[in-house]
Amino acid sequence: MTGLLHIGLILFSFVVVFDSEPTHAGPDREGESHEKSRLVHMTSHWAFQLANNSLTFSRADRFCRGQFSSLATLEQSEDQEGVFELLWHTKHNLPIWVRDPSKAGSSAVPLSKQYAQFSALNFPKESCEGFARLNMSFPTMSSVSVCVRVQWNAEWTEVSTIFSYAAPIFTNEFQLRGQVDVQGRILLALIIHGKHLPYKASFPNDGAWHHICVTWLRISGHWAIYVDGDRKDMGSGTDSPRNIYGDGIFILGQDQDSFGGNFTEPFFGNITDLNVWNISLETRHVQALNACSPMTPEVLFSWNLADLSNHPTVKEVQVLLYCPAVNQQMELHDCRTLRGWSSQQLPLLSWTDCSDPLLFICRSRRERYLKMKQITDSQLSGPTDFMNHLMKLSNKTQAVLVQQPSGLSSLAEASALLDISAQALEDTQLEGLEQADMVSIIQLLSLAADVPAQPGTEATNYSRDVAQELSRHFISVADRIIGEDNALKWQAIKEVVNGPMDVVKSIDRMVTCLIPRLMVETDHLIIHRPNIKVEVQQQMLQEGSRGFSFCGPETEKNSKLDCISVPRQKIQTLHDNGFVKLTLVNTWYGSLWPLFNLEENITMVPTVTDGSQRYLGTVLGSSVISTTVMGDNQPVSTAVRFQLQHRVQNPTGTVYDPVCAFWDFDLTPEAGGWWNTKGCDVVSKQIGYTVCSCNHTTNFALLLQVYEAQRSPENEKALQVLTFVSCGVSLCGLLFTFILFIAVGIPKSDRTTVHKNLIVALGIAELLLMCSDWASANEAACFVVTALLHLFFMASFSWMLVEGLLLWSKVVTVNISEDRRMTLYYIIGWGLPVLIVGITLTVSVDKYKADDHCWLNVKNDTIWAFVGPVVFVLAVNTVVLCRVVMVTVSSARRRAKMLSPSSASKLQIFDLTWAVTRPVLILLPVLGLTWLCGLLVHLSVVLAYIFITLNALQGLYIFLVYALYNSEVRNAIKRIKEKRKALSFTNCSQPTSFLPSQRAPMTSWGRIPPTPSSPETSETSGPASSTNTSLVIKNESFRKESFVSFSLKPVSENQVVRLTGFKPSGC
């Protein structure tokens, strides 16, 4: 049993790599523990583990990743201290591998960064005479390497010469030629010193670009042919072990049956990036050159069209080639190593061939290492049910697996191990998995995903069936451990494993690496398990190629599927950029969202709301769906569109707001990445699902921002009705006020002009607000209404600011003329709002309007184009109001001092109170200070009612304060009434002469004594010497019983009195 237990440990935990000697069961266990502790050094934050196995740099990096750690770096002082102490205690020899932190991350980069433009030569099929000659003289060469990129014409099937080098004394000195075989492949062969080597190296005749390198070394006679960075053929020995003759002619696209001529085997297609060296390149050099990494040492010829002489039929063209080294700065020669320490104990770094086996140190967080050690120790106490079943099934593969304790060396080996793991998981489904089992399986998946990418795993050694079998077993194992029933176990191992996205990353890596083998004889592949669905699609690009789409599995409960697609326009763009073959890898994960703890909020900035909701947190609320686009077997980043269902149900009283996001593995790499929203936008929100678009390819999901509803539906409806009714009342008040200002003829002044402009702006804004609900049904109309609402509400606040400035000018002496002042006011009141709205529309026209109503979008920075100026206006007007109150209080105190001492105290309190209250009541509506309540509406629904009431009734308030109870308006109305009364009395009267006339009847004059009670008597009473005569005149033209009484006071004896009476209209 103990021996079988060690097989399980070797398979999954790989603890044996950290042992200086092979582990044994029994009494040596204590010695083993001491040896392991000697290979580990811990600091306050990190644990450094020295691996007692020498591996190449790539294998060392993969091994540390499989241990949930990374290769140590020496950038921080704590890292240097940890590595130094560990090496000093273990007495191990240097150098060791260390990681270069400046190396680019793993995220996909845009097309413009992945691909570089090259100048190429086109050899058309219409002419067999095309060629290009290098304008240089070659020396005698004891070794040579030639690398070139070719795009073969897929319609040509005859023998073609890619390049030929002929010397004056020997024509077939060095030549590369190709021909199409019956399987449609391009076979390559070298001619060295006239010896024709066999056609063995090949690449598919797919019309794509391929990088070809040939090398030769005289001292060993060794030669090799590389295609796309892989060595396809090699050999040694030639008939004449001599140097290649110098002073030859190098020709592209033709052979040379004679020196510099007699061309018979033309090449048709495109050629670029030809480089010649007088050294024999190594594999690592060729791989770096395939990625466009430059290599300058010993170069004889570097690609430059100016150094070529072309036949007239050969034309220059521009092409795009895949160049990851352009963005990633790939290291051509070596990888970083630590070779020693300086006298100040500073690290001395150097570079070593990446293929050399060296020791290395893995670094992990201290807490992670201790948890991992705890899990490893628990394995030693006794096997779990899963491990028991695994060991029973692993006997048939025991010999193979123990030979490679540091990893898996072949696809067949990885497939066999995954197969027995899937069987063990099936057998122990009822018992479930322990923490150690989960960690071991995740390690296995990580190592298995790296097998196809390991050097030396030639595609010819593995059939399509083996690759498909490996992928099926891989997906089966992954499906088991990301099932919803393992949610609690994922939480238990979160200190060791970054999370379920580690499994997603392993699946992406495995499928992408296996594509060349999986799609050998098919263009469509589907692997479907309950929680995972993988689909690989492939097509040759042509004009008018269709778009790609992929959907998760259909279910009876959900009518809307989880889908992702690449738009047809993006496919066409790839075709226009020169891509020939397109492959899409799509994956759906249906059970990841329960594995993320709902109690732990995802850190995100909450969406701005109108106060009706309170932000609680953000959770993963959908399946995860991904797509990887491969153009000519190289990754390409392009825009995608996806639709995902909402998987989380809304509890009572909560609201979810979806956010489109993707998992960014390079965001906090130590934690395995985190959710990011950059480049992703919501296209539409529907009941139960959301449609998104992103400008790149990766793993996507919906994050749901959770809000607690602060208002009930009844309150929301009541607030809407209250807003509409109050706006109607306010609009009427503003209209009546404006009519009064125009009709009563108030004397023109800057104050009344400002009032009128404020009334116009606020009235139009409230009218638009009342109509906004009807406009929301039409997208274009709603956009226009939103822009107009923004404009006129901004204008309203701008004129409120002008009201404050005008009031300030009355309080504080301002040396500015009224005309200049009004010009400034108009610029602020109308010019500033137009400028703000125009800039906002220009900058964010696509995100200007909210999704579900006609107003600014509160989920981005657009809302600040309104909130920012409003806050500024309110702040300024608050200062103005405080200043006015201070002046009013000061005046009230001065008046109080003028009163008698007995009543001063009582009246002073009243005056001071009124001095504070009166300006506040009068100035609140025009200064807009009631909008300060809007900052507090999220605290209580009562404040929402107060806010809507105060601001919606602003127009009525203005009517009452500035029209109905305005003394200036009332005086103007009084003057109008008096004038109208005088005019009606004057313009509508008929004059009557009281002198004798033939046309007028006789007027009877009577003299009556004055009555003591008569008001006229009392009013005209004077000294006793005065003689008062009261006359009562009766005119027959007047109405019956109409009399006019006069009091006459004679001045002289001969006084002539002429009296005129008026007959009122209608009398």
Side-chain angles (χ1 to χ4, degrees):
M1 178 63 70
T2 306
L4 293 178
L5 174 60
H6 277 294
I7 295 174
L9 295 177
I10 290 173
L11 295 181
F12 298 105
S13 297
F14 303 98
V15 179
V16 68
V17 178
F18 288 105
D19 295 339
S20 59
E21 298 291 335
T23 56
H24 300 282
D28 291 338
R29 181 69 51 82
E30 183 178 354
E32 293 175 22
S33 177
H34 174 72
E35 180 66 21
K36 291 179 185 179
S37 63
R38 198 171 64 86
L39 298 176
V40 177
H41 176 75
M42 285 189 289
T43 64
S44 57
H45 297 96
W46 303 101
F48 297 87
Q49 298 172 276
L50 177 64
N52 198 21
N53 252 37
S54 296
L55 300 176
T56 64
F57 183 86
S58 59
R59 279 182 174 269
D61 183 60
R62 285 195 294 269
F63 176 81
C64 290
R65 194 166 61 241
Q67 295 293 321
F68 310 110
S69 58
S70 62
L71 274 178
T73 63
L74 299 174
E75 298 303 308
Q76 304 297 328
S77 58
E78 188 175 0
D79 296 335
Q80 298 174 12
E81 175 193 349
V83 172
F84 177 83
E85 291 292 335
L86 180 59
L87 293 176
W88 186 81
H89 285 295
T90 56
K91 309 298 182 185
H92 275 77
N93 296 326
L94 295 173
I96 63 169
W97 295 123
V98 291
R99 183 166 58 90
D100 184 2
S102 63
K103 187 177 180 180
S106 60
S107 60
V109 293
L111 176 66
S112 60
K113 292 184 179 180
Q114 284 183 315
Y115 290 80
Q117 192 173 47
F118 283 76
S119 296
L121 295 179
N122 174 252
F123 297 81
K125 189 179 178 183
E126 290 72 22
S127 174
C128 295
E129 299 179 356
F131 71 92
R133 175 176 174 173
L134 274 64
N135 300 326
M136 66 167 295
S137 176
F138 286 87
T140 299
M141 295 177 287
S142 60
S143 59
V144 65
S145 296
V146 180
C147 293
V148 65
R149 299 179 190 272
V150 300
Q151 187 179 34
W152 198 279
N153 190 320
E155 299 178 357
W156 182 250
T157 59
E158 303 297 328
V159 175
S160 298
T161 300
I162 298 174
F163 69 81
S164 63
Y165 176 78
I169 59 176
F170 199 90
T171 54
N172 293 325
E173 187 72 340
F174 197 68
Q175 184 180 133
L176 177 65
R177 56 199 302 169
Q179 68 175 8
V180 181
D181 68 354
V182 294
Q183 298 179 1
R185 298 177 301 168
I186 307 297
L187 301 179
L188 300 176
L190 267 177
I191 296 178
I192 306 175
H193 300 328
K195 180 179 180 179
H196 197 303
L197 300 174
Y199 286 101
K200 289 181 61 179
S202 67
F203 60 89
N205 187 17
D206 53 7
W209 282 95
H210 294 278
H211 184 254
I212 301 172
C213 282
V214 294
T215 64
W216 174 77
L217 182 63
R218 179 190 62 80
I219 192 171
S220 61
H222 179 82
W223 57 268
I225 301 178
Y226 296 86
V227 177
D228 296 330
D230 294 331
R231 188 170 57 198
K232 297 293 186 177
D233 194 13
M234 60 179 293
S236 60
T238 56
D239 292 341
S240 54
R242 59 174 176 81
N243 294 337
I244 292 179
Y245 294 128
D247 300 325
I249 296 176
F250 197 106
I251 298 292
L252 281 175
Q254 294 281 5
D255 71 332
Q256 303 177 59
D257 285 347
S258 62
F259 183 63
N262 196 14
F263 303 142
T264 58
E265 295 176 352
F267 167 83
F268 299 119
N270 297 319
I271 291 179
T272 188
D273 198 23
L274 173 73
N275 295 277
V276 183
W277 296 265
N278 59 352
I279 60 172
S280 178
L281 298 179
E282 301 177 13
T283 300
R284 58 193 175 96
H285 299 147
V286 175
Q287 291 174 345
L289 289 167
N290 179 51
C292 304
S293 184
M295 180 179 173
T296 55
E298 308 294 339
V299 63
L300 286 178
F301 177 82
S302 182
W303 181 249
N304 188 347
L305 294 183
D307 297 331
L308 297 173
S309 298
N310 305 329
H311 188 271
T313 60
V314 178
K315 304 299 181 183
E316 180 181 344
V317 295
Q318 300 296 317
V319 297
L320 280 176
L321 298 180
Y322 175 72
C323 288
V326 172
N327 178 65
Q328 298 178 7
Q329 299 298 316
M330 295 176 58
E331 181 62 42
L332 176 61
H333 296 289
D334 306 309
C335 296
R336 177 176 284 190
T337 58
L338 171 66
R339 62 180 178 85
W341 304 89
S342 67
S343 57
Q344 292 81 22
Q345 293 189 354
L346 295 177
L348 299 176
L349 302 176
S350 63
W351 301 95
T352 304
D353 189 338
C354 298
S355 60
D356 291 346
L358 296 177
L359 296 176
F360 56 95
I361 294 176
C362 296
R363 186 194 70 167
S364 61
R365 293 197 304 270
R366 179 187 178 98
E367 297 78 8
R368 175 172 291 179
Y369 169 77
L370 294 176
K371 181 67 175 179
M372 186 70 180
K373 186 176 183 301
Q374 178 185 348
I375 293 175
T376 303
D377 293 342
S378 67
Q379 289 179 314
L380 300 176
S381 61
T384 62
D385 292 330
F386 166 76
M387 194 65 71
N388 275 326
H389 281 77
L390 181 67
M391 289 186 294
K392 292 177 182 178
L393 296 170
S394 64
N395 285 333
K396 58 183 180 182
T397 57
Q398 176 179 353
V400 176
L401 295 171
V402 173
Q403 290 174 2
Q404 300 291 340
S406 60
L408 304 172
S409 59
S410 68
L411 292 177
E413 181 181 347
S415 179
L417 185 52
L418 288 169
D419 184 20
I420 61 174
S421 299
Q423 295 180 43
L425 287 169
E426 182 71 26
D427 295 340
T428 60
Q429 186 174 2
L430 296 178
E431 292 85 353
L433 296 173
E434 300 294 336
Q435 295 182 28
D437 302 332
M438 294 282 293
V439 173
S440 299
I441 295 173
I442 296 169
Q443 287 179 300
L444 170 63
L445 293 175
S446 178
L447 289 169
D450 289 324
V451 173
Q454 291 182 11
T457 54
E458 302 290 343
T460 55
N461 296 336
Y462 306 101
S463 65
R464 177 177 63 105
D465 295 337
V466 173
Q468 291 186 356
E469 182 181 8
L470 169 63
S471 59
R472 286 194 297 269
H473 295 330
F474 196 104
I475 299 301
S476 296
V477 173
D479 179 79
R480 287 288 186 183
I481 63 171
I482 67 169
E484 189 173 351
D485 53 341
N486 289 324
L488 295 178
K489 298 181 180 64
W490 278 103
Q491 295 300 318
I493 63 173
K494 65 181 180 180
E495 294 179 5
V496 175
V497 183
N498 291 322
M501 296 306 293
D502 275 359
V503 177
V504 172
K505 187 176 184 179
S506 296
I507 293 176
D508 291 344
R509 203 163 66 245
M510 181 273 299
V511 177
T512 302
C513 293
L514 281 180
I515 282 178
R517 299 174 176 88
L518 290 173
M519 310 303 290
V520 172
E521 298 178 2
T522 182
D523 59 1
H524 192 227
L525 174 67
I526 296 179
I527 303 175
H528 189 194
R529 296 294 181 268
N531 301 312
I532 303 176
K533 180 181 178 181
V534 178
E535 182 179 59
V536 184
Q537 305 176 65
Q538 195 172 79
Q539 75 170 14
M540 304 301 293
L541 293 180
Q542 56 188 357
E543 193 68 31
S545 296
R546 61 178 177 85
F548 283 86
S549 63
F550 163 76
C551 292
E554 298 182 6
T555 61
E556 298 179 358
K557 297 181 180 179
N558 301 309
S559 58
K560 295 293 183 180
L561 301 178
D562 297 326
C563 298
I564 191 169
S565 62
V566 179
R568 185 183 63 83
Q569 296 84 351
K570 301 301 179 182
I571 301 296
Q572 185 62 41
T573 300
L574 295 175
H575 173 264
D576 296 340
N577 287 334
F579 291 96
V580 178
K581 181 175 64 177
L582 194 67
T583 305
L584 267 78
V585 180
N586 301 295
T587 315
W588 171 86
Y589 305 93
S591 60
L592 288 182
W593 61 272
L595 306 184
F596 287 84
N597 189 2
L598 294 180
E599 297 179 358
E600 296 180 0
N601 289 332
I602 297 172
T603 304
M604 284 192 65
V605 177
T607 300
V608 179
T609 69
D610 58 359
S612 62
Q613 300 166 351
R614 183 170 64 89
Y615 176 71
L616 298 179
T618 303
V619 298
L620 176 63
S622 72
S623 302
V624 175
I625 198 166
S626 71
T627 188
T628 301
V629 181
M630 310 282 289
D632 298 336
N633 293 327
Q634 306 295 346
V636 178
S637 182
T638 185
V640 296
R641 186 185 180 102
F642 59 93
Q643 168 187 297
L644 292 173
Q645 304 171 69
H646 303 168
R647 298 284 180 173
V648 181
Q649 300 299 322
N650 289 36
T652 304
T654 60
V655 178
Y656 289 144
D657 186 41
V659 178
C660 304
F662 66 95
W663 187 266
D664 189 350
F665 287 101
D666 293 327
L667 198 65
T668 64
E670 290 291 343
W674 198 243
W675 295 107
N676 198 342
T677 60
K678 186 177 181 180
C680 293
D681 297 296
V682 175
V683 176
S684 65
K685 301 176 186 177
Q686 307 296 333
I687 299 177
Y689 69 96
T690 299
V691 180
C692 304
S693 66
C694 291
N695 59 9
H696 55 276
T697 55
T698 184
N699 301 282
F700 303 100
L702 289 180
L703 302 181
L704 300 183
Q705 293 186 328
V706 187
Y707 295 88
E708 180 183 18
Q710 298 288 83
R711 306 171 192 160
S712 64
E714 294 77 12
N715 282 326
E716 289 290 342
K717 184 66 176 177
L719 289 172
Q720 290 179 2
V721 173
L722 179 61
T723 301
F724 187 84
V725 173
S726 300
C727 282
V729 174
S730 178
L731 186 60
C732 292
L734 293 171
L735 182 61
F736 290 152
T737 305
F738 188 77
I739 292 174
L740 277 176
F741 277 13
I742 298 298
V744 303
I746 298 176
K748 185 179 180 182
S749 66
D750 52 0
R751 185 164 54 87
T752 56
T753 302
V754 171
H755 287 344
K756 290 176 184 178
N757 281 276
L758 173 59
I759 290 170
V760 170
L762 191 57
I764 296 176
E766 293 190 347
L767 179 62
L768 289 169
L769 184 60
M770 294 175 65
C771 300
S772 60
D773 286 342
W774 292 300
S776 60
N778 185 289
E779 188 71 19
C782 190
F783 187 89
V784 173
V785 169
T786 299
L788 292 176
L789 275 172
H790 188 194
L791 174 63
F792 284 101
F793 268 117
M794 279 306 309
S796 300
F797 278 96
S798 296
W799 283 108
M800 292 176 194
L801 176 62
V802 171
E803 293 274 7
L805 297 177
L806 179 61
L807 191 59
W808 184 269
S809 70
K810 304 298 183 181
V811 175
V812 181
T813 302
V814 178
N815 187 18
I816 183 172
S817 65
E818 183 174 340
D819 293 338
R820 291 176 57 194
R821 186 166 56 200
M822 283 309 304
T823 301
L824 176 63
Y825 290 165
Y826 275 112
I827 293 175
I828 296 175
W830 293 110
L832 190 60
V834 170
L835 181 63
I836 292 175
V837 174
I839 293 176
T840 307
L841 286 172
T842 303
V843 173
S844 58
V845 63
D846 296 332
K847 302 177 181 179
Y848 184 71
K849 187 185 74 67
D851 296 330
D852 51 356
H853 58 278
C854 302
W855 183 235
L856 300 178
N857 193 344
V858 299
K859 296 182 180 178
N860 53 41
D861 295 335
T862 303
I863 189 62
W864 287 102
F866 176 74
V867 174
V870 167
V871 171
F872 173 76
V873 171
L874 296 181
V876 172
N877 285 354
T878 301
V879 174
V880 172
L881 181 61
C882 292
R883 178 61 176 165
V884 171
V885 170
M886 290 171 61
V887 172
T888 308
V889 171
S890 178
S891 299
R893 285 177 176 174
R894 286 196 299 268
R895 287 196 304 269
K897 291 179 180 179
M898 299 172 61
L899 298 176
S900 60
S902 59
S903 59
S905 176
K906 184 182 298 184
L907 290 177
Q908 186 177 9
I909 296 175
F910 174 79
D911 286 346
L912 291 179
T913 304
W914 181 242
V916 174
T917 306
R918 186 173 183 272
V920 171
L921 293 177
I922 294 176
L923 297 177
L924 275 179
V926 294
L927 296 184
L929 298 181
T930 54
W931 282 76
L932 290 172
C933 296
L935 303 176
L936 306 174
V937 293
H938 63 282
L939 299 178
S940 171
V941 69
V942 176
L943 290 175
Y945 279 101
I946 296 174
F947 171 68
I948 291 176
T949 303
L950 289 177
N951 290 282
L953 295 179
Q954 189 174 9
L956 180 60
Y957 199 3
I958 290 176
F959 172 72
L960 295 175
V961 176
Y962 291 90
L964 195 59
Y965 293 104
N966 188 345
S967 59
E968 190 174 9
V969 174
R970 296 173 70 178
N971 290 336
I973 295 175
K974 184 177 181 180
R975 287 195 302 270
I976 291 175
K977 289 181 178 180
E978 292 176 351
K979 183 177 179 181
R980 191 171 292 173
K981 181 178 179 181
L983 288 175
S984 64
F985 186 74
T986 302
N987 297 332
C988 302
S989 301
Q990 298 177 359
T992 303
S993 177
F994 292 97
L995 294 178
S997 174
Q998 294 179 355
R999 297 183 180 181
M1002 287 298 294
T1003 303
S1004 60
W1005 294 74
R1007 185 169 182 173
I1008 60 175
T1011 307
S1013 62
S1014 174
E1016 289 82 359
T1017 305
S1018 60
E1019 291 176 4
T1020 59
S1021 61
S1025 60
S1026 300
T1027 304
N1028 292 336
T1029 305
S1030 180
L1031 297 178
V1032 177
I1033 302 173
K1034 181 177 180 182
N1035 194 331
E1036 298 297 334
S1037 299
F1038 280 36
R1039 188 173 46 193
K1040 185 179 180 181
E1041 297 181 355
S1042 297
F1043 298 92
V1044 179
S1045 178
F1046 294 89
S1047 296
L1048 302 178
K1049 187 174 183 180
V1051 178
S1052 61
E1053 295 180 355
N1054 300 322
Q1055 181 178 20
V1056 179
V1057 180
R1058 182 182 180 89
L1059 301 176
T1060 302
F1062 295 91
K1063 177 183 179 180
S1065 176
C1067 297

